[in-house]
Every structure is written in structure tokens, then in C-alpha cells.
Amino acid sequence: MATTTVAPKIKTTGGSFLLEDHNLATVFTPEDFNEDQLMIAKLADEFAVNELVPNIEKIEHKDWQVTRDLLKKAAEMGLTNVDVPAEYGGSEMDKISSAVIADNIAKSGSFVVSMGAHAGIGTLPLVFFGNEEQKKKYLPRLASAELIGAYALSEATSGSDAQTSRTRAVLSPDGKHYILNGEKMWITNAHFADLFTIFATLDGKKLTAFLVEKDFPGFSVGAEEKKLGIRGSSTAPLILNDCMVPVENVLGEIGKGHIIAFNILNVGRFKLGAGCVGGARTSIQNAIAYAKDRKAFGKTISDFGLIREKIAQMAIGIYACESMVYRTVGMMENALPEGEKSSEAIRKAIEEYAVECSIIKVAGSEMLDFVVDETVQIYGGYGFVEEYPAERAYRDSRVNRIFEGTNEINRLIITGWLLKRAMSGQLALLPAIKKTMDEVMAGPSFDELEGALAAEQKIVGNAKKLAMLVAGAASQKYMQKLADQQEIMGAIADMVIESFAMDSCLLRARKFIEANGEQKSALVTAMTQVYIAGAMGRLEANAKKVIAAVAEGDMMRTQIAIVRRLAKHEPVNVIALQEKVAARVIETGKYVTV
């Protein structure tokens, strides 16, 4: 339906943002939305405002029929079946439109989770890995929301370690069924889903995915969990007691369940990042409205400097994550050959950007936590009261750092994925690290960049060098055992995350300036400058942390001196730039970039 406006269509290698400067023409930003994508955004927003918001209280009180009815309405509008091929009843949109929907529909944490579990991780295993018979049998009914889907990977003893599943499968004596025994935990949509993708270990060692209908003998759902947040989504254990699953319901290849799990989680991560952007956008709108209405000491609190600083920082965080999300889905679209729509090609395009998916999952969930926390602070005492929207948003946000692999696991994935690709030669990281070390040891470069945001371009270039330098020093120290040094892996991941965020903000602002001129780009320029200034400080702190852990004596002192040299930059007037951002978003009453 909708198609990306990125031109020319040039594929970039996943993780290559760290090694090279991407061409502005190939970087997708929200300003590049075409008419179809803008229409989809409007449609999703109107559905959320007109259908979802009026039913939030019923959803929160676990009226599952309301959730099912809303999912069906969303399906009729093409919002839940965006990733399903048209031949199976889906609306078959591009990945940008898919992210746009996740972004704009995020007005209720509970419903977004239910919808994501159905339309994303509940349906996509079939889209990507189902055989023709399975697709014909289930996909049209999932696309229309006649059937609701769910995904069951986690267990009580192996939440993040997917390959140690204790749920077991054995072939029945007559060879017609697999018999499943075990328990799955924290399964979203458990009490109203009809079809579950369940992972079990076959013959004690082969992780395999099975399509399990709720009426299969031996299948049952446990008690609803009493949760901190997203209380209007169903979360319960699945109990498999000699559950009889027909052999034709094996999904994908026997023993290849981990491939399904990891690929589906990549999709879940970029959609979660998009949803976090949308949720943050809703929260800042509520915070601004309250701040403009609440009076203290003879004026509204939106006039107070510290409140304005909070609002500015919230907007800047949204801007950074929004830039990363749409840059990533733009790269996915660019990775597809012209006219290519096969599920296999789409899956490979998403898999290529696994590291970016993990980055936006971590950054988006932590940004949203910051935004909802500051929203509670702006509401003051009322932020703690259920009657006001700040309280629910605060509770609902917290689970995002656990969903789709914890943020700790995703940090290990980020560093591990980059180093694995480097060792295999798929990503030229090792030569780039060597080149960076040679350049740094040769002394400072006096080449001056020109044009808009020239100082920021230099800072971002040095940030990437710093991340590579530190990764190289850690790899040299620990070699193949670096994976055991989780604190170091995490610190490197944070440097990579900041590098991608800084780079994405900068490229978006430069592209905006190129299209609109510097005067009309004042807001994105200010947000970019503030974000980069703060990020470089965080990046330098992590660099020092790692260097102190991997070097000592003269070597440590030399490397710390290099860190200081690369991190050195002229400070900008953050207070004045934040005031510029605050003034504009408070005036408009919402997050904006113009």
C-alpha cells in the first residue's frame, strides 16, 4: 500500500553507522513521509482518539471483549494486519507504515501491548516461517482478528535464555501428534487468544516452535497475573499437560526454533521503540497541558525555568529516538530490492539491522521512562493519583525495559553482534579500529568542517572513533573472553547507542536544513546541539570506565589522554537552546520539530 520515499535505494550494512558517514539522501526521517504514510498516521491517530481512548477504563478493568472488538475494528481499518501479505487478507504495508502505526496508536499502554502481541509477535512467526498450508489455514483469520494470536517463549526459569526451555515435546507413538509438557510464563493475550506460537525442546535438545490452538487437548491457561502496569492486557501462564499438537503444526524446521525466536524479537524491538516514541509524545502533551493550567506563586508553572528545562529535555529525548526509529525502518525498506515483497526477503532485511533494533529498543524504553517520570514530577502530588494520566503512564512504561529481551540482554547483543560481525568479516570493524588507532596516535587533525552544524559533525565523528577505540582496547585485552565481561560489554553498548543517537539526530537536522534553510530549522538544530552535548559527556564517562578496566600504568594514562582529546569540544549554551525548545513546544502544546 504505502511505499517509502527514500531515494536513491541504496542498501547500507547493519552497524555501518559506526564506521562511515551515511549519505543524507539515503537517510529516512519523519520529514520524508509520503502521502500514504501521512494518511496511515492520521488513520491510526484517529482510531486511538475516537475508539481507543473512550474505552480505556473498560480495557483497564480487563473487559477482554472490548479489547477483541477494538482489535477487530483496527483490522477492518488495516491497522493490525499491516505486515500480513495481501493474498492472506492483510493490508501489506511497508515497514515505515508499520512503525507509523505503532507510534500513533500508542495512547493506551495496555491496548498497545495486546495489539503488538497479536499483530506482531503473534502473527509474524506464521508470516515469516509458516508453510503454505499453515498460512492458508490461519493467516486470513488472524489478519481479520477473527483469531487473536499470542507468542509463548518465556519460562519461569529462563526468561531471557530462550534456548534453555524446560517445556518438552515428544512424538506420539502413532506419529500423528507431538505431546507437549511444561509451563510458559507471562504470556500476553493469554486469556483471550486463540492461537499460540509455543516453543518447546524436542527430544531434549531441539528447540522447536509449534502452532497451538486454545482448544487442543491438554492446553489450559493459568490465573491472570496481578501486575504493576499494563493492567488492561491479559498476562497469564500457559499450562501444557500432555498437550496434543498435530505434527502439521510444527512451525518452521525442527530444531530451528531459536531462529524464529530471534527474528521475531527483532521486529518486536523496532515496533516497541516506535511505540515508546508515541507513548512519550502523549505524555509530554499531558505534561504541557497541566503545566500551562497549574498556577503557583502568581503564574503558571510552565513559566518556571526548571519546569521548562524538563519539558525541553523530554522533547529532545523524543526527537532523538524518533530519528533513530525511522532511520532504522528506512534502512530496512532500502535493503529490499525494488518490488520485492516476499516474506523471506523482508525477514532478511529486518535481520540485517538487528543491532539497530536492539539500540532503539533500549533507547526508546529508557527515554519513555524518563519522560513519564518527569511528567509525574510536573503533576506533583496529582501525578500519584489514579484520576490523572501521569500515574498510569508511569506504571505502564516500566515493562518496556523487560519486554523483547531485557535491556541488559540487548546491551550484550549490541556489543556481541558488532564484534561477531567484525570477526566474520561481514562488518569492517577491525580495520576501522586499527585505522582509528593509527590516526589518533599520529596526532590531532586540523581539518575543519564547514557548513551547518560543523562543530557537531566533528563531535559525532570523534564519538564514533571513541567507541571504536574503546571496543578495540577491550577486545585486545580479553579477546574471545570479552563476552564474559558484562560490565565492559554494557559500557561499550552504551557508547554505541549514543553514537547512533547522535549520528541520527545530526543527519536528520542536516537534511532538514538542506531542505528548509537554517532559519526554518532552528528547532531541530537546537535539539540536535543539546542532545549531542549531553551525549558526548555520557560517552566520555563510559570510555574512561572501560579504559580503566582494561589498561593500567602508562598504557592507561596514554589511552585516557586520547579519550580526553577525542571528547574535547567547545561547550554550547545548553540553557539558551533548551529555552528555545521549551518555548516552542509549550506554545504548541505538544512535541513538534518546527
Side-chain angles (χ1 to χ4, degrees), residues 532-549:
I532 287 174
M536 195 56 173
R538 295 186 291 272
L539 203 140
E540 181 182 5
N542 273 307
K544 290 178 177 178
K545 176 181 173 181
V546 174
I547 294 301

Side-chain angles (χ1 to χ4, degrees), residues 152-198:
L153 178 63
S154 296
E155 297 182 2
T157 57
S158 57
S160 294
D161 188 0
Q163 296 198 67
T164 60
S165 172
R166 295 176 65 179
T167 300
R168 294 290 185 258
V170 296
L171 187 63
S172 64
D174 62 7
K176 293 181 179 180
H177 294 83
Y178 285 103
I179 303 170
L180 274 59
N181 282 282
E183 186 172 313
K184 294 293 180 178
M185 291 294 293
W186 310 297
I187 307 308
T188 302
N189 292 352
H191 270 109
F192 60 85
D194 305 288
L195 183 68
F196 298 78
T197 301
I198 297 180

Side-chain angles (χ1 to χ4, degrees), residues 84 239 308:
V84 178
I239 300 160
R308 295 171 79 85

